[in-house]
């Protein structure tokens, strides 16, 4: 079985902090490749590849989110030997939450920070319409609605045939997810949202109950994929949060 990340052996030295990044529905780890060049030298971005895409394309895409989190926790254990944080966008945010608990359950320690981007709180998901597999037309309609797919993909049947099975499985990951209340994490939870996204602010604020530490919600101007237009400010915020001691007070901020 292929590892979710590049093997630890061969790295010159452990970084001061690792940021394990989980992709959104239909995406591969490559969406975070640019980040490696854009963050401070003390921070190592570690894109996490999920089964069924990228270099794990030969594997069957998973459809059970908590089982996938358990699988990733075993694979990523070497990456958590030093300070680490988790970042996930959309589906990746929900997966990061379950992964944090799976890692803690293995005695591997919690992340320094859990970052959830464009992801409703686990207790406030509204994904039941995806509990059964969507046909191709339904998947394409959802891809267009979320505005996360380049328009040329829709006109290329070969690309669609590659993308649809992974996307179908990813929608099932969300649609079949059953929230279980865990003891709150001790690490801060930092949530980011888009002002034009259809995820209501109260569903983002509901992440606060999942931590005993600090909670913050920061809104960026944009839709569900605001991280593309605001890549540099978002990375600056990640580095800022990871470079400061955790406090106890939270708040809501807006970023143009």
């Amino acid at each position: 079985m292929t590892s979710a990340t590049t093997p630890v052996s061969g790295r010159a030295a452990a970084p001061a902090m690792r940021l394990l990044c989980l992709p959104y529905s239909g995406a591969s780890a490559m969406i975070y490749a640019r980040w490696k060049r854009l963050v401070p030298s003390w921070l190592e971005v570690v894109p996490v590849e999920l089964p069924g895409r990228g270099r794990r394309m030969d594997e069957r895409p998973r459809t059970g989110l908590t089982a996938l989190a358990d699988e990733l926790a075993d694979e990523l254990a070497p990456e958590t030997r030093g300070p680490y944080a988790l970042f996930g966008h959309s589906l990746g945010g929900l997966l990061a939450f379950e992964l944090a608990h799976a890692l803690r359950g293995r005695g591997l320690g919690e992340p320094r920070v859990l970052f959830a981007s464009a992801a409703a709180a686990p207790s406030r998901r509204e994904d039941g319409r995806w509990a059964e597999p969507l046909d191709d037309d339904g998947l394409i309609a959802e891809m267009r609605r979320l505005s996360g797919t380049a328009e040329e993909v829709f006109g290329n049947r070969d690309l669609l045939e590659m993308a649809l099975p992974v996307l179908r499985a990813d929608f099932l990951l969300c649609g079949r997810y059953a929230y279980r209340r865990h003891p709150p994490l001790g690490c801060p939870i930092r949530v980011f949202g888009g002002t034009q996204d259809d995820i209501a602010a109260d569903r983002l604020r509901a992440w606060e109950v999942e931590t005993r530490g600090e909670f913050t919600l920061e809104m960026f101007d944009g839709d569900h994929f605001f991280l593309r237009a605001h890549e540099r400010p978002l990375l600056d915020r990640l580095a800022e949060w990871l470079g400061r001691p955790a406090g106890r007070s939270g708040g809501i901020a807006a970023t143009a």
Side-chain angles (χ1 to χ4, degrees), residues 51-224:
R53 64 213 81 194
R55 63 181 179 277
R56 305 185 70 171
M57 189 174 295
D58 291 339
E59 297 182 46
R60 173 184 52 82
R62 310 299 194 255
T63 57
L65 193 135
T66 53
L68 176 57
D70 285 337
E71 181 179 346
L72 291 175
D74 291 334
E75 295 174 0
L76 294 169
E79 306 287 351
T80 66
R81 290 173 183 155
Y84 76 98
L86 297 174
F87 175 92
H89 186 83
S90 194
L91 164 65
L94 180 62
L95 185 54
F97 168 75
E98 289 293 343
L99 176 58
H101 284 286
L103 289 167
R104 183 173 71 173
R106 286 160 172 72
L108 297 172
E110 294 187 5
R112 183 70 57 87
V113 181
L114 171 62
F115 296 105
S117 175
S123 63
R124 297 292 304 276
R125 307 291 299 185
E126 297 177 356
D127 302 330
R129 65 189 182 280
W130 299 330
E132 297 299 326
L134 296 175
D135 61 20
D136 288 358
D137 290 341
L139 283 171
I140 291 170
E142 288 293 336
M143 292 165 74
R144 290 187 182 278
R145 184 183 69 83
L146 293 171
S147 304
T149 306
E151 190 60 32
E152 54 265 27
V153 172
F154 297 112
N156 187 318
R157 193 65 213 177
D158 290 338
L159 288 178
L160 275 176
E161 287 179 356
M162 291 176 60
L164 291 178
V166 172
L167 195 66
R168 182 174 289 109
D170 285 354
F171 275 78
L172 289 173
L173 284 175
C174 295
R176 294 178 175 176
Y177 174 71
Y179 172 67
R180 300 169 300 158
R181 186 68 182 269
H182 298 280
L185 295 166
C187 67
I189 294 181
R190 315 290 186 191
V191 177
F192 304 102
T195 56
Q196 280 86 57
D197 196 357
D198 62 2
I199 301 176
D202 64 305
R203 295 171 63 207
L204 298 172
R205 292 190 193 99
W207 276 99
E208 188 169 10
V209 303
E210 305 297 344
T211 178
R212 292 180 283 105
E214 185 178 2
F215 167 81
T216 56
L217 169 60
E218 184 166 353
M219 302 298 292
F220 285 85
D221 185 35
D223 59 16
H224 192 67

Side-chain angles (χ1 to χ4, degrees), residues 3-24:
S3 172
T5 66
T6 302
V8 176
S9 59
R11 289 176 178 157
M17 176 73 64
R18 287 195 176 106
L19 179 63
L20 309 183
C21 297
L22 296 139
Y24 48 81

